[in-house]
Amino acid sequence: MTQYIYSRTSTVEQNVSAQSEILTKSYPDAQLIEEQASATSMNRPALDSLLEKLLSGDTIIVYDMSRLNRNTQDFLSLLERFNTDGINLVIHSMGGQTVDTSSPIGKMLLTVMASVEQMNVELMKEKQAAGIADAKAKGVYKGRPKSEKTTKACKKAVELIEIGLSKEDAARAAKVGVATLYRYLKEQAST
């Protein structure tokens, strides 16, 4: 029965050592695994490697819930896998409390907290959509500004169209999405 600390920060600008130091003080016998990768990234080699070597009775320790999961569904899938495989999960800081899935209450709390976190994300998206709709209704919403790289690629595609390439072939040659090129052409026609 091995304990593993998984410390993760999203960017290299963030300092993973502060998180690791707190956890290694609380769990001095645990093996430390550190990673700097975005939670939304599918590429988290240190976590993937850890998940492959876990055995029944092992424990993963994370600072908080967000260190482990990409989203609620991902978290619940991991939690189900841990339950099935006999892996314990300890979340060191959850509202100032430590939650351990080796108890039924710990499992229940984590499931409820994952649902609340997902609800907060969905509410934020609803507010964002309402704000965008309001800005569009007022005529002030312009969307995300086009990158200089995308604009250059679209201009290159237009040059290729002018010499006889189809829009699809021009987009492919200029390395820009076909839909992006069509939007660009529509915007240029309306100005």
Side-chain angles (χ1 to χ4, degrees):
M1 295 201 276
T2 307
Q3 291 184 330
Y4 297 96
I5 293 170
Y6 176 68
S7 291
R8 182 187 60 76
T9 56
S10 298
T11 64
V12 291
E13 292 83 28
Q14 295 174 323
N15 187 352
V16 74
S17 62
Q19 188 182 130
S20 298
E21 186 177 322
I22 291 168
L23 293 174
T24 54
K25 281 183 182 175
S26 296
Y27 308 93
D29 296 329
Q31 294 180 29
L32 176 64
I33 293 145
E34 295 178 318
E35 185 158 52
Q36 291 186 303
S38 169
T40 59
S41 172
M42 297 302 282
N43 186 21
R44 296 182 295 174
L47 178 60
D48 294 339
S49 176
L50 173 58
L51 294 175
E52 288 300 316
K53 69 180 178 181
L54 290 171
L55 301 172
S56 181
D58 287 349
T59 300
I60 294 182
I61 302 157
V62 293
Y63 183 74
D64 65 36
M65 202 163 77
S66 69
R67 301 300 87 203
L68 192 60
N69 60 301
R70 294 179 188 97
N71 55 45
T72 302
Q73 186 58 45
D74 183 46
F75 180 77
L76 292 175
S77 294
L78 277 173
L79 193 55
E80 181 62 32
R81 175 182 171 182
F82 295 161
N83 290 339
T84 300
D85 294 347
I87 309 298
N88 295 319
L89 172 64
V90 173
I91 298 182
H92 180 74
S93 180
M94 189 167 227
Q97 301 296 311
T98 298
V99 177
D100 186 338
T101 62
S102 63
S103 73
I105 298 229
K107 288 177 188 173
M108 186 269 308
L109 279 174
L110 285 181
T111 303
V112 169
M113 292 306 294
S115 298
V116 169
E117 189 172 310
Q118 181 65 34
M119 179 194 68
N120 284 333
V121 167
E122 290 173 12
L123 288 173
M124 183 183 66
K125 287 180 181 178
E126 284 179 11
K127 289 176 186 176
Q128 181 183 25
I132 290 171
D134 184 51
K136 283 182 178 179
K138 293 176 181 173
V140 294
Y141 182 76
K142 303 294 181 198
R144 183 172 42 156
K146 306 289 183 281
S147 74
E148 189 175 316
K149 181 180 174 185
T150 300
T151 302
K152 283 182 181 180
C154 287
K155 287 179 180 178
K156 173 73 173 161
V158 168
E159 291 172 10
L160 295 170
I161 292 167
E162 289 172 354
I163 61 169
L165 261 63
S166 71
K167 290 175 181 147
E168 290 77 12
D169 289 341
R172 213 174 354 269
K175 295 187 170 125
V176 66
V178 176
T180 301
L181 176 59
Y182 274 96
R183 271 192 307 276
Y184 177 81
L185 293 170
K186 184 178 177 183
E187 288 168 5
Q188 294 305 304
S190 67
T191 56

